[in-house]
Amino acid sequence: MDKSKNRTFLITLGLIAIIFVAGCALSVTAWLRKKQTLVELERHQREVNVLLAGDNLGSLKDQISLTPANVDLAEKDLTELTDQLKSLREVIAGSPEAPLKPDNSTSASKLNSLIKQNVDEWKKLCADRDVKTPPNDQCEFGFRRYIRNAGTSPKRDLPRVDLQRIIIDYLFKQLLESRPAGAPLLLQSIDREPIETYVLIPEGKPNAGSYVPDADGSKNENDEFTPSRSFRRPGLLDALSFRIRFVGTTSTLRTFINKLRSSGHPFAITSIEVGLAKPEEEKLLATAAPTTTAAPAAGATAAVPDFFLGGAPAAGAKPGAAPKEDRVVVVKEKPAEFVIQFDYLTIPEEKSATAEGEPKK
C-alpha cells in the first residue's frame, strides 16, 4: 500500500514539474514575441515619423510630407499616370480598322506553306514591278531558313512567326508604293529576328520567362539578325524587330517612313543608315551615269538672260510674250544604300489574378 502511494505521489510530482517547465517555456516564447513585436513597432513608428516629417525629392528645397493635401496630389498623379498608360496601350495596340493579327490556331505545316506561298508572291511582285533583287535568288524575305531547307517548318511560337510574315508582307508592299514612278529600286533583303530559335530564360533568373538570342550566332541565316537597338522591355513592352536594306532614292526613303508613321500601326524606327551605292549595285540598277552639266543640243540656241540682252526680246518672239523656260537637269540624283531597323511594338498579355493563383499541373 505504501509503494502505491509513493508511486502516485511521484507521478503527480512529475506532472507538476512538466507543467511548470512548459509554462516557463511558453512564458519565454511570449516574452521573445513581445520583444520582437516592440522592435517592429518601433521600426514602423520611425517610418511613419519620416513620412510625417517629409523628405527631399531631387532638387526640391521643401520637404514632402504625408499630409492630406499631398495625399490628394499623389492620388491625382496616379490617376493621370493611369490615363496616360491607357492611352499608350491604345496607341501600341495599333489601328483597329486594319489590324495586323496572326492566326493563333495555325499549325506548323500550314504556316510553312503560307511562308513559301508568300515568298513566291513577293518575288513575282518584284519582277512585275521591275524591282531589282540580288542575283542568284538571294532575297528570301527573312525566311531563308525554311525556303532553302525543304521539309523544315517553325517548331514553336507559331503565332508570332505568323505575325512576322504578315508584317513583312505589309512592309514590302508599302516600300513598293513609296517608289516614285521611274525611280530605281534594288531590294537587297528584308531581315527578321529568328524568335522561334531564341532560348527561354529559366525561372529564378532575371527576366525569367522571356526569350533571348542564342549565343551561337552561326545558327542564324543571312536574312536573320539580332537587333542592335530595341524598345523591348520584358514584362512591360514586347517588340518584333525587322531590318530593310535597299538601294534607291531619298524620296523613296522619305515616302516610306512617312507611310509607316501615318499607318496607325505601332512601328518604331530605331536606326537609319545611309551610304553610297556600290558599283555592282549601280550596274545592277543600270543607272550608273556620270554627274555632268547638260550641254545644249547641236543647232540649239542657249538661253541667255535678259540682263545680257539689254531687255530686248529674242528674234521672232512676239512683243509682250514671256520667253519660254526650258528646264534642263543639271545634276542627276544617284541612288544610295539605306538600312532601316525598326520595331513592331506589342503589349504582353496580362495574366489574370485567378490564372496566377492556379497551381501548376
Side-chain angles (χ1 to χ4, degrees):
M1 185 67 72
D2 294 337
K3 292 181 179 180
S4 176
K5 291 181 179 181
N6 291 337
R7 186 180 299 108
T8 303
F9 175 76
L10 292 176
I11 292 174
T12 303
L13 185 63
L15 291 174
I16 293 173
I18 292 174
I19 293 173
F20 176 78
V21 172
C24 292
L26 292 175
S27 299
V28 172
T29 303
W31 179 78
L32 292 176
R33 289 180 178 176
K34 177 183 178 181
K35 186 177 181 181
Q36 182 65 25
T37 303
L38 290 175
V39 172
E40 293 181 359
L41 180 62
E42 292 177 357
R43 179 173 60 83
H44 288 299
Q45 188 64 43
R46 287 194 300 269
E47 294 177 354
V48 170
N49 292 336
V50 169
L51 293 175
L52 293 176
D55 195 6
N56 291 327
L57 299 178
S59 60
L60 297 178
K61 296 181 180 179
D62 299 332
Q63 291 183 332
I64 306 300
S65 58
L66 192 64
T67 61
N70 289 336
V71 171
D72 293 340
L73 292 175
E75 291 178 349
K76 181 180 179 182
D77 290 342
L78 179 60
T79 302
E80 293 178 353
L81 290 174
T82 303
D83 294 340
Q84 184 178 7
L85 177 61
K86 182 180 179 181
S87 62
L88 288 175
R89 286 180 175 272
E90 291 176 354
V91 171
I92 295 175
S95 174
E97 299 177 357
L100 303 179
K101 297 293 185 181
D103 183 3
N104 294 323
S105 61
T106 187
S107 62
S109 58
K110 179 180 177 182
L111 179 57
N112 188 41
S113 176
L114 288 174
I115 289 174
K116 293 181 178 179
Q117 179 181 348
N118 277 136
V119 171
D120 291 338
E121 291 176 355
W122 297 331
K123 290 182 178 180
K124 184 178 183 301
L125 193 55
C126 285
D128 295 341
R129 297 287 188 90
D130 193 27
V131 176
K132 304 297 182 181
T133 55
N136 301 325
D137 202 20
Q138 295 181 7
C139 184
E140 305 291 358
F141 298 87
F143 293 105
R144 178 176 300 184
R145 176 185 300 274
Y146 307 112
I147 300 300
R148 298 296 178 92
N149 301 320
T152 59
S153 59
K155 302 300 181 184
R156 60 179 178 84
D157 288 343
L158 302 184
R160 297 184 71 202
V161 177
D162 188 37
L163 180 58
Q164 285 184 321
R165 177 187 64 84
I166 296 172
I167 293 173
I168 289 176
D169 179 70
Y170 178 82
L171 293 174
F172 173 61
K173 292 178 180 177
Q174 291 297 313
L175 180 62
L176 294 186
E177 294 178 1
S178 301
R179 179 180 60 162
L185 180 60
L186 166 61
L187 179 61
Q188 296 172 314
S189 69
I190 298 181
D191 309 326
R192 69 177 183 94
E193 283 187 281
I195 54 176
E196 69 276 20
T197 66
Y198 280 11
V199 178
L200 177 64
I201 299 179
E203 296 293 336
K205 293 187 178 181
N207 301 327
S210 59
Y211 292 93
V212 295
D214 196 317
D216 187 2
S218 62
K219 294 181 179 179
N220 291 349
E221 297 288 347
N222 293 339
D223 55 0
E224 299 174 347
F225 79 110
T226 301
S228 57
R229 297 177 182 177
S230 179
F231 288 95
R232 182 184 296 110
R233 295 294 180 271
L236 298 176
L237 185 64
D238 201 358
L240 295 173
S241 295
F242 299 87
R243 183 176 61 191
I244 294 183
R245 298 182 295 163
F246 69 94
V247 178
T249 60
T250 55
S251 58
T252 302
L253 173 68
R254 182 168 56 252
T255 305
F256 178 62
I257 292 177
N258 290 333
K259 279 182 174 292
L260 294 184
R261 291 180 58 187
S262 59
S263 65
H265 299 297
F267 289 108
I269 297 176
T270 55
S271 68
I272 298 179
E273 300 178 12
V274 182
L276 297 176
K278 301 178 178 62
E280 58 270 19
E281 295 170 345
E282 291 186 346
K283 184 178 180 180
L284 186 61
L285 286 172
T287 57
T291 303
T292 56
T293 302
T301 304
V304 181
D306 290 344
F307 175 79
F308 296 102
L309 298 176
K318 295 182 179 180
K324 184 179 180 182
E325 181 180 0
D326 294 331
R327 294 188 177 183
V328 180
V329 177
V330 177
V331 179
K332 188 173 182 179
E333 183 181 12
K334 298 185 63 177
E337 185 177 26
F338 303 103
V339 180
I340 312 172
Q341 181 177 312
F342 49 88
D343 287 347
Y344 181 84
L345 306 178
T346 57
I347 300 175
E349 295 182 359
E350 295 182 351
K351 297 181 179 179
S352 61
T354 55
E356 292 179 354
E358 291 179 356
K360 296 182 178 179
K361 296 181 181 181

